[in-house]
Amino acid sequence: MRTLIFTFICLAFACKENPQDPNSSTYNERLDEESAWNNGTSDQKEPFFQTSRNKTHELRDARTGMVVQSTEYPSNWKVISKPIYTIDQKIPDFLMQIDGPNHLKTFNTPTKFHVSYQSPQLTQMMSQYGMASMIRPMVGNQQLFREDVEPRMQKNGYTFVRQRSMPDDEAYVKQKMQENGFGQGYLEYTATEWKNQNGQKALARIVKIALQQPLMNNEMMTMWLYTTDYVFVDEGQFEATLDQLHKSTVGTQENPQWKQYMTQLNQQRAMENQRKMQIAAQQHQQRMNDRWAAFNAHQENMRAISAAQDANHASFMNRNFGAGSDTGQRQFLNMINEQETVYNPLTGNNYQVNAGSTEYWMDSDGNYIQNNDLFYTPNGDINLNNREWVKVGNTN
């Protein structure tokens, strides 16, 4: 349980690029070894707690060599730990195993990390970006017990006794979450008791923590992670073992240098994320500039083509009908089509409009308004105030 608290604090806002599958750790293979569950190596009864002298076990980061935290245990307990980096390549998760007298064995499993998104579209997009193995809607601890714990316990000869309340341990987890700024996080703490026919009892416990984070466009992401830990010991020492484990856990000392290292690491990652966002914004702006440049070049080409066509038409009319024939033909066609030709100073081009109005107003896109009210101007019309209108005249 203690390693979950540490892992959550370290990883809650850290980068998680290309995570590997936590279930792939060979450390977890010992869960299937019969000797690790049922039978001790000796029937010799020795003092269970040598309280006169304890020994300190340190959790050490393999990347930096720094001590992360240290805990005192009874000196006749054999404690081993192993840092793994399946979730974050710079922040360790620790696997621990303790062996002791009276068939004591306790160990945890690798922390499992998942994310879920409210939007199905965002879920599909993130799945395509390599996060499919991490995406899972959050489920209750009872379902996790059915998936992870029950098959293993039953396979190794243990039967369920009851669900156990552990208020002191749960309060400790909540306290650590509060101290580290995650008081608003969701906690689900579930412990169960088991026993076998060899006079041993077991505790199987799942501790799950979740946080919601806002994303862009009002999207929400839920991060949730959990670990499962086990305690096996002779039934007569079961309660004393749980008490000692709790005492060791609450006495854990965190290394201030490691906390400073984590602060610096998170600051560096925040700066790197900011730099990446700035680069992305600059690239987006450059793409928009390129698109506008291409659009403007297209418009210039179209104007050049239009001017060439007008010149070619004028040359054709002069060659075939003589000077002034263009105007005469236009007037003749206007009479047939009941149209008029107007000149728009905003564009420098002539346009055909329906005949019969006193005046015409036109914008730069060639849209026009027919008007017979000499006191009306569309530039004062609140429904048309997003355009510039100019009165156009007849070219005849």
Side-chain angles (χ1 to χ4, degrees), residues 255-316:
N255 183 4
Q257 293 181 344
W258 175 259
K259 295 180 69 174
Q260 182 179 5
Y261 167 76
M262 285 300 306
T263 299
Q264 294 173 348
L265 177 62
N266 288 331
Q267 290 174 347
Q268 291 173 358
R269 287 178 167 179
M271 293 175 60
E272 180 63 19
N273 289 337
Q274 182 66 25
R275 186 184 69 84
K276 290 180 179 179
M277 291 178 62
Q278 291 175 347
I279 292 175
Q282 293 171 355
Q283 291 174 342
H284 172 73
Q285 186 61 47
Q286 184 60 49
R287 287 193 296 269
M288 294 300 296
N289 292 341
D290 293 343
R291 290 175 182 174
W292 275 112
F295 173 78
N296 291 332
H298 173 73
Q299 292 295 93
E300 289 296 328
N301 289 336
M302 294 303 295
R303 280 193 285 269
I305 292 172
S306 178
Q309 289 175 339
D310 289 344
N312 183 63
H313 176 70
S315 175
F316 171 80

Side-chain angles (χ1 to χ4, degrees), residues 183-352:
Q184 299 302 315
Y186 171 79
L187 170 66
E188 187 175 1
Y189 183 109
T190 310
T192 57
E193 287 185 16
W194 304 73
K195 67 178 181 179
N196 66 7
Q197 296 180 350
N198 299 328
Q200 288 184 300
K201 290 192 71 174
L203 181 84
R205 174 173 44 196
I206 291 179
V207 182
K208 181 178 66 192
I209 300 175
L211 269 185
Q212 280 196 327
Q213 281 190 285
L215 304 175
M216 295 185 297
N217 301 323
N218 296 321
E219 294 280 0
M220 292 295 295
M221 176 182 72
T222 299
M223 300 188 306
W224 61 284
L225 65 160
Y226 73 96
T227 190
T228 309
D229 63 284
Y230 300 86
V231 180
F232 301 89
V233 72
D234 290 344
E235 186 172 0
Q237 297 296 336
F238 184 69
E239 295 298 334
T241 300
L242 297 184
D243 290 342
Q244 179 60 45
L245 286 170
H246 176 74
K247 180 180 178 181
S248 295
T249 295
V250 299
T252 297
Q253 300 293 319
E254 297 182 13
N255 183 4
Q257 293 181 344
W258 175 259
K259 295 180 69 174
Q260 182 179 5
Y261 167 76
M262 285 300 306
T263 299
Q264 294 173 348
L265 177 62
N266 288 331
Q267 290 174 347
Q268 291 173 358
R269 287 178 167 179
M271 293 175 60
E272 180 63 19
N273 289 337
Q274 182 66 25
R275 186 184 69 84
K276 290 180 179 179
M277 291 178 62
Q278 291 175 347
I279 292 175
Q282 293 171 355
Q283 291 174 342
H284 172 73
Q285 186 61 47
Q286 184 60 49
R287 287 193 296 269
M288 294 300 296
N289 292 341
D290 293 343
R291 290 175 182 174
W292 275 112
F295 173 78
N296 291 332
H298 173 73
Q299 292 295 93
E300 289 296 328
N301 289 336
M302 294 303 295
R303 280 193 285 269
I305 292 172
S306 178
Q309 289 175 339
D310 289 344
N312 183 63
H313 176 70
S315 175
F316 171 80
M317 295 299 293
N318 285 333
R319 287 197 307 269
N320 291 277
F321 299 99
S325 62
D326 182 58
T327 300
Q329 185 187 30
R330 185 174 65 248
Q331 292 174 342
F332 178 72
L333 293 174
N334 285 345
M335 180 182 66
I336 295 175
N337 297 322
E338 295 184 352
Q339 292 182 334
E340 294 185 30
T341 303
V342 296
Y343 173 76
N344 187 348
L346 293 176
T347 64
N349 294 325
N350 293 333
Y351 295 87
Q352 296 297 112

Side-chain angles (χ1 to χ4, degrees), residues 24 41-42 82 99 126 134 143 192 261 267 270 310:
S24 64
T41 58
S42 173
K82 175 183 177 182
D99 292 279
M126 297 307 292
M134 295 177 62
Q143 180 171 336
T192 57
Y261 167 76
Q267 290 174 347
D310 289 344

Side-chain angles (χ1 to χ4, degrees), residues 77-199:
W77 287 13
K78 179 183 179 182
V79 184
I80 61 174
S81 61
K82 175 183 177 182
I84 58 175
Y85 299 83
T86 54
I87 299 178
D88 191 295
Q89 292 303 303
K90 289 190 176 181
I91 304 175
D93 185 17
F94 288 94
L95 297 176
M96 296 188 63
Q97 178 172 311
I98 299 174
D99 292 279
N102 298 284
H103 302 137
L104 169 64
K105 186 177 290 291
T106 174
F107 54 87
N108 66 320
T109 64
T111 301
K112 295 184 180 180
F113 178 89
H114 296 285
V115 295
S116 63
Y117 304 94
Q118 288 180 328
S119 166
Q121 293 79 11
L122 183 58
T123 299
Q124 181 179 6
M125 181 185 72
M126 297 307 292
S127 297
Q128 295 172 347
Y129 277 88
M131 293 187 62
S133 62
M134 295 177 62
I135 296 176
R136 183 186 183 184
M138 188 169 68
V139 298
N141 279 8
Q142 293 302 324
Q143 180 171 336
L144 297 177
F145 266 100
R146 288 193 295 269
E147 295 174 359
D148 295 352
V149 176
E150 289 181 7
R152 293 171 176 170
M153 298 296 286
Q154 293 171 357
K155 175 183 175 182
N156 288 276
Y158 281 85
T159 57
F160 176 78
V161 177
R162 66 181 177 122
Q163 186 165 317
R164 178 190 179 105
S165 174
M166 303 185 71
D168 292 341
D169 283 34
E170 185 172 355
Y172 175 74
V173 179
K174 291 180 179 179
Q175 174 191 336
K176 300 306 290 186
M177 291 174 63
Q178 189 73 38
E179 290 176 359
N180 289 275
F182 305 126
Q184 299 302 315
Y186 171 79
L187 170 66
E188 187 175 1
Y189 183 109
T190 310
T192 57
E193 287 185 16
W194 304 73
K195 67 178 181 179
N196 66 7
Q197 296 180 350
N198 299 328

